[in-house]
Amino acid sequence: MAVENQFRLLVERADKFGKSIGVGKELFLGLLEERSDWAFIIQIDALNETAIRETMALLLRVNGVADDGGDKMARFVNALSYQGKSSIIRLLEAAGAPKDVVEYVEAVRKVRNHYAHDIRNLNKSLMEIIEGHNEKSKLFKSLCYIANYDEVDLMATMRQEVGFLRFNILSQCMVFLLALHQTLGTRGRKRKKKEEA
């Protein structure tokens, strides 16, 4: 399948899930044309966080933890910190999300934090942020989700083809949204169907 076709398919499917959290495919397409890497990664991180919180709240409601229509559960999930020992990311892990999915979410947050907590990074590229990180290899692999590659060669390519890194991160984001929708969401829907039967 050609890269363009694969991307179009991912956008269509991500759009299906995006609607449940109030975003459409215009957001995904707009992210590719975002002018700054700073704005790009802030939005990817916000999209990840919103999707995790919505999915976790829905999963807990459907699985019978909340009986109030979900308001209390949504408030509980939204009050959890994003990272740390008792966080939404640890809840995602506990719900059975694959390790590489959790590593992707954490990698995006690490890059986002470099931008958000130091204004001097505002005009730095994603590659500059990644290459300046003390865990650059792990970060790079988690963001791009490429199983086997020559790191030096791929990083050189990413420096020359600026859009390629963004494309990889955005594709990984859409795969992440699909995974949340299909695995965690499906688990919740199966439970609901059993209760209705």
Side-chain angles (χ1 to χ4, degrees):
M1 179 182 293
V3 173
E4 296 82 12
N5 292 338
Q6 182 182 13
F7 183 74
R8 192 174 300 116
L9 181 64
L10 285 170
V11 169
E12 288 170 8
R13 292 195 179 156
D15 184 45
K16 180 180 176 183
F17 177 69
K19 285 180 182 170
S20 69
I21 59 172
V23 298
K25 64 182 167 188
E26 299 77 24
L27 173 71
F28 302 105
L29 296 171
L31 280 167
L32 274 180
E33 297 181 18
E34 183 58 60
R35 293 179 67 185
S36 75
D37 283 348
W38 171 83
F40 171 81
I41 208 69
I42 295 286
Q43 290 176 77
I44 292 285
D45 181 66
L47 185 56
N48 289 347
E49 182 174 355
T50 301
I52 293 169
R53 290 186 189 282
E54 284 286 321
T55 302
M56 289 296 111
L58 175 66
L59 184 62
L60 291 169
R61 281 193 304 267
V62 171
N63 282 334
V65 177
D67 59 358
D68 64 344
D71 291 340
K72 286 182 184 174
M73 190 53 61
R75 284 193 302 273
F76 168 75
V77 169
N78 286 330
L80 289 173
S81 66
Y82 192 66
Q83 293 176 294
K85 291 181 181 178
S86 300
S87 66
I88 195 70
I89 292 179
R90 297 295 73 88
L91 185 58
L92 181 66
E93 262 181 332
K99 183 180 177 184
D100 57 337
V101 166
V102 175
E103 287 175 351
Y104 156 74
V105 170
E106 290 177 324
V108 168
R109 180 48 66 115
K110 285 178 185 176
V111 173
R112 175 253 182 221
N113 285 346
H114 277 276
Y115 280 116
H117 298 303
D118 190 343
I119 195 67
R120 293 169 297 187
N121 291 330
L122 183 66
N123 293 317
K124 286 187 178 179
S125 70
L126 285 167
M127 282 306 296
E128 288 175 293
I129 298 291
I130 293 167
E131 289 181 306
H133 198 276
N134 59 350
E135 297 179 313
K136 75 174 182 180
S137 293
K138 182 179 179 187
L139 198 60
F140 191 67
K141 185 175 173 94
S142 297
L143 287 170
C144 294
Y145 196 66
I146 299 172
N148 300 309
Y149 65 95
D150 179 316
E151 183 178 305
V152 174
D153 184 51
L154 188 57
M155 282 193 169
T157 301
M158 294 287 189
R159 273 186 234 103
Q160 292 170 359
E161 300 289 333
V162 182
F164 188 49
L165 178 57
R166 279 195 192 186
F167 180 82
N168 277 316
I169 293 170
L170 185 54
S171 295
Q172 181 64 2
C173 177
M174 290 187 289
V175 169
F176 166 66
L177 293 175
L178 280 167
L180 283 180
H181 182 62
Q182 291 176 338
T183 58
L184 301 179
T186 301
R187 197 180 312 157
R189 286 191 299 275
K190 284 179 184 172
R191 172 77 179 253
K192 192 172 182 179
K193 283 181 183 175
K194 284 180 185 176
E195 290 171 359
E196 290 171 354

